[in-house]
Amino acid sequence: MASAPAITVIGGGIIGATCAWELAGAGARVRLIDARRPGDGATRASAGVLAPYIEGHPASPLRELGRESLDLYDAFIARLSADSHRAIVYQRNGSLEVALTMEEAERLSAASAVLWREGVEARWVPGPVIPDLEPNAAPDAPGALLIPMHGFVGVSSLTVAAVAGARQHGAEVVEASGAIEVSRVPGGGVRVRTDAGTWEADMAVMASGSWSSRITVEGAEPVPVRPIRGQLLQLAASPGTVRHTLWGTAGYLVPWPDGSVLVGATVEDVGFDESATEEARHELLEMAAALVPALKHATVADVRVGLRPRGPDDLPIVGRSAAVPGLVYATGHYRNGVLLAPLTAQLVRRLVLDPAAPTIAALDPGRCGRL
Ligand SMILES: Cc1cc2nc3c(=O)[nH]c(=O)nc-3n(C[C@H](O)[C@H](O)[C@H](O)COP(=O)(O)OP(=O)(O)OC[C@H]3O[C@@H](n4cnc5c(N)ncnc54)[C@H](O)[C@@H]3O)c2cc1C
């Protein structure tokens, strides 16, 4: 490969945009293509919660990878905002997982003890103490699990910054250009045929989220990623109504810096349908009011819908294609694409730029079929 390799990144969601930025920053000549506009896929709907110890299952690779990625976040945001000259909404405000029944309280206090033993800062907060931390939480909650290291990021601001950062390093961004087929170029390199033209490059990265399965890869099976719809509300509220990221068994609330509150999220297997539904709106409003009764009559300021890319085992698919040697997959991030973005971008940079770089076995595409 030449000293400044040419790379085509397919898809400009948070994964493709951050990979493009990392690669361009490392000296590659990057072309970022998107079927729509960067950030218009699942990324636009995301709540941006950074919480490996809630979303990850105990002792699973997802939890370990989530923690590893969370540990990269401070430096990642600092570097990206300096590079792009963009402000990125980012707070490590802690999460409070609120028990609304005695049964949930028992489960969460046991989880708190397990996390402590594993060296994770986690604290069980008895019911009477909750108002000191979260004055508007359900008054009869028997307790809550506090994890101070958790936080959230403004996903749109992060993605806009990643695209701007990539451009600063010379990347070209091509909108309305959907990849149809990826194939090998005889003698080396990768060809990406799109509905707006065909490009050849040394390497390509497939970061097209839920739509990855629709792109034909020469000699490979379709990547087994399917869309899982998520709907999220933004409620108008006064600053301080919610302070931490609050979790209940049915969803979560994120305190936005302007005081409004994000309420997420549904998990629906409805194919490529990106429409919002009344049913979800009611469900989410009910859940929000159960956690914070003051939100019962809050105005819905925005409704967002996105399709989470889900692979067969809920883990991302990140690694080299066996069928097309110049192709690297970076897809299937399902419910944790924002949390896992720094780790994914770093791994993709290594896999693309260093032929000897090892992959992470748990994420290897080979586990999902002939890819
Ligand atoms: C409601 C909701 C809440 C969420 N909350 C969280 C959260 O709190 N924390 C967290 O970590 N994650 C969360 N997620 C998950 C997270 O949003 C996803 O994992 C992440 O956005 C996936 O990013 P992506 O770049 O892979 O996919 P996408 O954002 O979907 O981007 C894929 C891009 O590829 C483009 N594309 C599609 N087809 C083609 C093609 N043929 N050629 C070129 N481009 C193409 C699309 O236009 C799109 O821009 C949430 C998701 C939803 C829906």
Side-chain angles (χ1 to χ4, degrees):
M1 199 184 293
S3 57
I7 318 290
T8 304
V9 178
I10 307 167
I14 186 167
I15 298 299
T18 53
C19 289
W21 168 62
E22 281 280 1
L23 287 163
R29 289 176 290 129
V30 173
R31 177 179 284 126
L32 173 64
I33 66 170
D34 197 288
R36 304 173 180 176
R37 283 180 314 171
D40 262 3
T43 295
R44 71 175 169 205
S46 180
V49 176
L50 308 172
Y53 294 107
I54 289 174
E55 285 282 273
H57 304 291
S60 72
L62 185 57
R63 198 179 78 169
E64 302 316 314
L65 295 166
R67 173 61 195 267
E68 208 180 310
S69 198
L70 182 63
D71 287 344
L72 297 173
Y73 243 100
D74 282 355
F76 183 78
I77 294 290
R79 196 159 56 86
L80 178 53
S81 50
D83 226 18
S84 62
H85 310 292
R86 305 283 167 137
I88 301 170
V89 174
Y90 173 61
Q91 284 182 27
R92 296 289 281 270
N93 58 329
S95 67
L96 206 54
E97 198 169 353
V98 181
L100 294 176
T101 64
M102 286 312 293
E103 200 185 343
E104 280 167 36
E106 273 167 34
R107 185 180 60 79
L108 287 176
S109 68
S112 151
V114 171
L115 288 172
W116 254 115
R117 278 199 297 278
E118 289 176 12
V120 178
E121 192 191 346
R123 192 152 58 84
W124 177 245
V125 181
V129 184
I130 293 177
D132 295 346
L133 296 173
E134 204 61 60
N136 295 307
D140 45 2
L145 172 60
L146 173 68
I147 303 186
M149 75 171 69
H150 285 163
F152 70 92
V153 66
V155 185
S156 293
S157 62
L158 194 163
T159 308
V160 165
V163 172
R167 280 197 164 112
Q168 292 271 14
H169 291 291
E172 182 193 353
V173 180
V174 188
E175 296 180 358
S177 178
I180 297 165
E181 188 183 22
V182 178
S183 54
R184 48 201 302 175
V185 176
V190 184
R191 180 176 297 126
V192 179
R193 184 166 66 84
T194 80
D195 46 24
T198 297
W199 286 291
E200 288 185 7
D202 295 302
M203 304 271 294
V205 178
M206 188 191 285
S208 25
S210 289
W211 296 269
S212 303
S213 63
R214 293 180 159 183
I215 301 172
T216 303
V217 176
E218 182 187 6
E221 294 167 354
V223 61
V225 166
R226 61 200 179 89
I228 300 293
R229 184 168 73 186
Q231 303 188 49
L232 175 138
L233 308 179
Q234 184 157 18
L235 302 184
S238 46
T241 303
V242 176
R243 296 179 181 176
H244 300 77
T245 298
L246 291 185
W247 283 79
T249 44
Y252 54 82
L253 308 179
V254 183
W256 209 238
D258 65 1
S260 65
V261 177
L262 303 186
V263 182
T266 62
V267 180
E268 305 163 81
D269 195 350
V270 293
F272 284 91
D273 180 357
E274 291 175 273
S275 45
T277 64
E278 266 311 304
E279 196 187 346
R281 186 186 178 103
H282 286 306
E283 205 179 283
L284 292 169
L285 281 171
E286 216 168 88
M287 184 278 293
L291 280 175
V292 173
L295 292 174
K296 192 170 169 64
H297 301 293
T299 306
V300 177
D302 193 17
V303 181
R304 302 193 218 154
V305 187
L307 301 177
R308 308 176 184 93
R310 183 179 197 178
D313 54 9
D314 293 357
L315 284 170
I317 299 168
V318 184
R320 298 185 183 92
S321 163
V324 174
L327 176 66
V328 169
Y329 290 96
T331 185
H333 288 75
Y334 191 36
R335 303 191 70 176
N336 288 286
V338 180
L339 173 63
L340 295 173
L343 185 71
T344 303
Q346 177 181 286
L347 179 60
V348 166
R349 171 173 47 77
R350 289 182 185 148
L351 291 171
V352 168
L353 298 181
D354 176 4
T359 187
I360 295 177
L363 307 185
D364 193 78
R367 78 186 194 282
C368 300
R370 194 164 40 81
L371 299 180

